[in-house]
Amino acid sequence: MTDNPNTISPLYSQDAEESLMGAVFIDPQLVHQLAGFLVPTDFYFLQNQFIYEACINLVQRGEDVDIVSVEFELRAFKHAEVDRGHLIYLATNFATALHAMTYARIVKHFAVRRMGIGKLQKIHHELSSEDLDVNEALTQAQQILNEAFQSVRVSTVRTQAEVVSDYYDHVMDIQAGNGQPRLKTGIVDLDHKLGGGFGHKWFVVVSAPSGGGKTTLMMQVAINVAQQGGKVMVISREMSDEELEARIITQKSGLSSGEQQSKMDEKQLRRFVNASGNVAGLPIFYDCTAATMTQIKASVLRTHQAHGLSLVVIDYIQIVDPSDCNGYNREQEVAYISRMCKMLSAELGVTVIAGSQQNDNGKVRESRAIRNDADLLLQIDSNEEDPAEQGSKMIFFDKFRHGPDKSNVEGGGVRLYYDPNLLYFGDLVRKNLNG
């Protein structure tokens, strides 16, 4: 037989390849099951690649699969490498197609390993290049890995029985207290409205006018998730990591940023030291240098692979560098950034919270795609025109894919206490009760 002419180490199973092709001759309709899972180049031996491809073509045209038809198909594509004796062997030497999918998984297993070695060789080449700086080389290496993950994805088609079985297990896990926990915001009234907090793999958008509290709310959620043991990554294009840290210290110490930056008395200094010590060990990771969505995704993927993230915070959508979107207009740029945030939550299986600016009408700025992509869109209202509402903010559920989708207090929103100096949201009734 003729081996696949490449330099990759010979990782393959000849028995699995031949048994699978023998099964296809017995039951050609197996091709429909294999099509979304196995491609011709997954076979190590060229003869098997060509024969499998010929079988796919015949089945797609509704023609019979046998020695004569396959041989004719091979001749039509001038695949002289296929030996007729090998074709007869595959068509006549196997008695059952029962274990075809097992053989297919073995073939795929070795194909993935061969592909992985090739990708690693390419990464080695990128990292060895002196023409690229380290960050650019690592970003390109991450892109190579992403391509590898995409190329080995199997069919996403699932049967009704498989879906019901998985959903049944999911619900039973919840009943037993073993389900995927919600990410609690730490604000009791908001968590109650959300059914216990943010759901697994949600894409959450927090919109507010400039200075309206979106960063405050997102960072407050990040702190609470980290305090519960969840790993959090914060991507900020608006503030440095030290500026974000100052906000955390403010929430925990009651010292404003201005007080922290000025001469403190002994009592204030003790509060600062205690707050710093309390938050120093929180599992929060910052990247305030990643600019484009490609860079952001690469940074998040590296951190997720190393630590296993529960939450990603992106502050904010409109300020992400749109260099990935050459030739797009502004609406298309923002729509692309929003969609990439959505895909990030789905691909990594983590909750993503992204900030968004509001226009003068209180809607997300520059693209309606943000609302379309979001599982939950929280709209922070300033209430600045009503003196009776000073010291509080209304959080509207402008969109709630998993709950009420109405902009009213009872069904689609919650009023929260808000202190702009201490950068803190809280439960309004409980704050009033506690003075």
Side-chain angles (χ1 to χ4, degrees):
M1 295 182 188
T2 305
D3 286 353
N4 193 350
N6 56 52
T7 59
I8 297 174
S9 301
L11 298 168
Y12 59 87
S13 171
Q14 181 175 345
D15 288 341
E17 290 193 14
E18 293 178 350
S19 297
L20 178 59
M21 291 314 307
V24 169
F25 274 102
I26 294 169
D27 182 6
Q29 296 308 308
L30 281 171
V31 168
H32 295 299
Q33 292 178 252
L34 297 169
F37 176 68
L38 212 61
V39 296
T41 52
D42 286 336
F43 289 85
Y44 179 77
F45 293 98
L46 282 176
Q47 294 195 91
N48 295 334
Q49 287 185 22
F50 297 149
I51 293 171
Y52 179 62
E53 185 176 23
C55 291
I56 291 174
N57 294 338
L58 291 168
V59 171
Q60 288 178 341
R61 295 199 302 265
E63 299 177 15
D64 293 335
V65 174
D66 54 34
I67 295 174
V68 175
S69 59
V70 171
E71 190 174 27
F72 184 83
E73 186 75 13
L74 291 170
R75 266 204 309 276
F77 285 91
K78 300 181 179 179
H79 289 321
E81 300 91 338
V82 178
D83 176 67
R84 192 169 194 272
H86 178 59
L87 184 60
I88 294 172
Y89 170 78
L90 295 179
T92 61
N93 205 54
F94 298 90
T96 178
L98 185 60
H99 304 295
M101 293 307 296
T102 299
Y103 304 141
R105 282 190 286 270
I106 295 172
V107 172
K108 190 71 176 182
H109 166 80
F110 284 112
V112 170
R113 293 184 67 181
R114 294 195 302 272
M115 182 272 298
I117 291 173
K119 294 295 184 182
L120 288 174
Q121 291 173 343
K122 190 174 179 181
I123 289 173
H124 179 270
H125 174 75
E126 294 291 341
L127 294 176
S128 300
S129 173
E130 296 183 358
D131 296 331
L132 300 175
D133 65 35
V134 173
N135 288 330
E136 187 176 356
L138 286 173
T139 297
Q140 292 195 16
Q142 185 66 59
Q143 289 175 333
I144 293 170
L145 284 176
N146 293 343
E147 292 170 3
F149 287 131
Q150 293 292 332
S151 67
V152 301
R153 282 186 172 179
V154 299
S155 173
T156 56
V157 177
R158 304 173 67 206
T159 67
Q160 172 72 0
E162 290 172 327
V163 175
V164 169
S165 176
D166 286 352
Y167 183 67
Y168 176 87
D169 291 342
H170 168 68
V171 172
M172 289 299 103
D173 282 342
I174 293 175
Q175 305 310 307
N178 300 321
Q180 182 73 38
R182 291 291 184 104
L183 298 183
K184 294 187 180 298
T185 68
I187 305 170
V188 175
D189 289 343
L190 181 57
D191 285 336
H192 175 71
K193 285 284 187 178
L194 294 171
F198 296 141
H200 184 53
K201 295 196 294 188
W202 283 11
F203 174 39
V204 179
V205 176
V206 178
S207 74
S210 180
K214 61 182 179 293
T215 303
T216 296
L217 182 57
M218 291 191 296
M219 288 305 298
Q220 193 166 335
V221 173
I223 295 168
N224 194 70
V225 170
Q227 287 176 327
Q228 302 303 312
K231 309 296 195 306
V232 179
M233 184 164 194
V234 178
I235 304 289
S236 178
R237 295 291 299 139
E238 185 177 33
M239 299 182 186
S240 68
D241 48 10
E242 290 190 358
E243 289 173 320
L244 292 170
E245 198 61 42
R247 285 173 165 262
I248 295 177
I249 299 297
T250 293
Q251 291 187 6
K252 292 302 179 183
S253 69
L255 298 168
S256 69
S257 178
E259 289 174 314
Q260 295 174 43
Q261 299 299 319
S262 60
K263 183 67 175 179
M264 291 183 278
D265 59 33
E266 184 178 342
K267 183 178 179 180
Q268 289 175 321
L269 187 59
R270 187 162 52 248
R271 286 159 58 190
F272 175 80
V273 171
N274 289 338
S276 299
N278 289 336
V279 302
L282 292 179
I284 302 177
F285 307 90
Y286 298 92
D287 189 341
C288 299
T289 60
T292 67
M293 280 309 302
T294 297
Q295 293 170 345
I296 289 171
K297 183 176 180 180
S299 180
V300 172
L301 280 172
R302 286 195 296 267
T303 308
H304 184 57
Q305 289 165 358
H307 302 284
L309 298 172
S310 299
L311 175 68
V312 176
V313 176
I314 299 175
D315 190 23
Y316 54 90
I317 290 174
Q318 285 83 2
I319 205 172
V320 172
D321 188 332
S323 299
D324 292 340
C325 317
N326 291 333
Y328 287 14
N329 61 37
R330 181 55 181 164
E331 190 279 333
Q332 291 170 329
E333 288 175 349
V334 174
Y336 166 81
I337 294 166
S338 172
R339 178 52 53 89
M340 289 293 288
C341 291
K342 173 77 171 180
M343 292 174 63
L344 196 61
S345 67
E347 290 178 9
L348 298 188
V350 302
T351 301
V352 173
I353 305 178
S356 173
Q357 293 178 323
Q358 287 181 3
N359 60 26
D360 293 338
N361 297 321
K363 302 298 183 183
V364 291
R365 279 186 57 184
E366 299 183 310
S367 178
R368 289 177 294 179
I370 298 173
R371 188 179 190 278
N372 295 336
D373 292 335
D375 294 291
L376 173 67
L377 174 54
L378 298 178
Q379 174 190 329
I380 302 177
D381 187 31
S382 65
N383 291 311
E384 293 177 351
E385 298 180 0
D386 188 351
E389 303 299 348
Q390 292 298 309
S392 72
K393 284 187 179 290
M394 187 67 198
I395 311 293
F396 290 117
F397 297 162
D398 189 74
K399 178 183 178 183
F400 195 177
R401 195 187 305 276
H402 309 286
D405 190 9
K406 299 174 290 184
S407 294
N408 58 70
V409 177
E410 293 185 7
V414 59
R415 187 175 298 283
L416 301 177
Y417 168 80
Y418 177 64
D419 189 326
N421 296 316
L422 299 182
L423 305 172
Y424 173 79
F425 282 93
D427 299 298
L428 187 62
V429 174
R430 291 169 180 78
K431 180 65 181 177
N432 290 339
L433 289 175
N434 293 331

